[in-house]
Amino acid sequence: MCIHVHVCVNVHVCVNVHVCLFLQDFKGEMRQGQDMVNNATQLGERVCMTTAPRGQEAIQKEINTLRDDWAAFAGAVNEVESNLEVCIGNWVELDDTLSGFTHWMEKMERQVSNGVSCVYCSLQSVALNVEKKC
């Protein structure tokens, strides 16, 4: 299942969450497709019982192909969903890391700014003392 993110961290997460939600809806519709595959295979197996052996072989081959194709398709959809979940998680982690880095940079800028101000004040004080002595 895809994770639900209610707040857009950045445009990439918003897009990925939207795609993930679409994928969940699509997977819901895939249940109908699975039902159709099941019905087709059941009907094919019933027809096989009343078909000559040579025809049974062809029908069984088609049934197997249908099942295999559906399984491959469903597997690909699940893989896309899994990859998308990982992608969303990576974007959220990246955003958290960026946010931490940004806060750290702001803190460092304030400290440097305060340090520069202190150094400037000290230099002014030294300059005034030198002027007084001269």
Side-chain angles (χ1 to χ4, degrees):
M1 273 279 152
C2 284
I3 60 175
H4 294 281
V5 177
H6 298 290
V7 177
C8 290
V9 177
N10 59 44
V11 70
H12 299 290
V13 173
C14 288
V15 169
N16 288 336
V17 169
H18 176 72
V19 171
C20 195
L21 294 173
F22 170 79
L23 190 58
Q24 284 180 337
D25 290 343
F26 181 74
K27 284 184 75 172
E29 292 177 15
M30 280 182 59
R31 289 183 193 98
Q32 293 173 338
Q34 180 65 56
D35 291 343
M36 292 166 66
V37 168
N38 292 342
N39 288 337
T41 56
Q42 288 172 358
L43 290 172
E45 288 168 354
R46 274 194 235 150
V47 168
C48 262
M49 290 185 234
T50 60
T51 304
R54 197 167 131 205
Q56 287 179 355
E57 197 175 302
I59 292 171
Q60 195 58 48
K61 183 178 176 186
E62 290 298 321
I63 290 171
N64 291 339
T65 299
L66 176 61
R67 284 180 179 153
D68 292 346
D69 288 350
W70 182 260
F73 175 71
V77 170
N78 288 333
E79 184 177 345
V80 166
E81 182 180 33
S82 176
N83 291 341
L84 195 52
E85 288 172 354
V86 169
C87 184
I88 290 170
N90 288 343
W91 276 112
V92 169
E93 183 180 342
L94 176 67
D95 189 67
D96 290 345
T97 301
L98 178 62
S99 179
F101 176 73
T102 301
H103 290 304
W104 178 82
M105 283 294 291
E106 289 169 353
K107 180 181 173 186
M108 291 297 112
E109 286 174 349
R110 282 191 300 276
Q111 288 178 353
V112 167
S113 177
N114 291 340
V116 167
S117 295
C118 289
V119 168
Y120 180 73
C121 289
S122 295
L123 288 174
Q124 277 185 327
S125 175
V126 168
L128 286 174
N129 286 337
V130 168
E131 284 180 15
K132 287 181 186 177
K133 291 182 180 181
C134 290

